[in-house]
Amino acid sequence: MINGPGQYWVEIRDSIGCMARDSIMITGCVGLNETLGNMLQLFPNPAVDELIIRFQPSLSLPELALYDMMGRLLRKINTGEQKEIRLDTRQFPEGAYILRGTVEEGVFSKMFMVAKSGM
């Protein structure tokens, strides 16, 4: 269980005894305030060709950051005054992604999936 900043280890063993071990450094923990979570909608989830990011009118969010599950920053999305953004997901491999934003109340993250058609 992660309960604060620090270095954490993950160890996986398969049924024949092979093992893999890796570490991750957590520098800060991010919580998702339910009110903020409801102010940003992602759909469809999973996305095949396009993800629609819709903001509630009262949300002031100048920029979103898009990360893969390895924590690599893939892109920064300038939201400006827009209340809906359409993100082309066709160039992304199938998998999970995280959108992260900063507002007055703090930092929040929302996860979405990309699926390929015919799957």
Side-chain angles (χ1 to χ4, degrees):
M1 174 184 352
I2 297 175
N3 55 13
Q7 186 170 10
Y8 294 87
W9 292 92
V10 176
E11 186 174 291
I12 300 172
R13 291 182 191 268
D14 67 13
S15 61
I16 60 172
C18 294
M19 182 195 63
R21 185 176 185 185
D22 205 348
S23 68
I24 184 170
M25 178 62 74
I26 304 292
T27 57
C29 295
V30 177
L32 175 61
N33 180 315
E34 284 301 316
T35 304
L36 290 176
N38 293 332
M39 295 181 81
L40 179 71
Q41 298 173 333
L42 306 178
F43 60 93
N45 194 2
V48 176
D49 297 323
E50 176 180 77
L51 178 74
I52 298 171
I53 306 165
R54 185 171 291 159
F55 309 95
Q56 294 299 320
S58 60
L59 185 63
S60 176
L61 183 67
E63 183 178 82
L64 285 171
L66 175 65
Y67 294 90
D68 65 13
M69 292 307 286
M70 298 297 290
R72 293 180 291 235
L73 176 64
L74 302 177
R75 155 181 321 177
K76 290 195 176 190
I77 303 167
N78 183 353
T79 62
E81 296 296 316
Q82 300 176 73
K83 294 303 173 188
E84 183 175 290
I85 294 174
R86 294 176 179 265
L87 179 65
D88 183 356
T89 59
R90 291 176 292 186
Q91 75 269 16
F92 299 135
E94 191 170 65
Y97 297 87
I98 297 172
L99 279 172
R100 183 175 174 179
T102 303
V103 292
E104 240 179 66
E105 294 85 353
V107 177
F108 70 94
S109 301
K110 283 199 101 162
M111 188 174 82
F112 69 94
M113 303 292 292
V114 171
K116 298 302 175 186
S117 59
M119 303 241 115

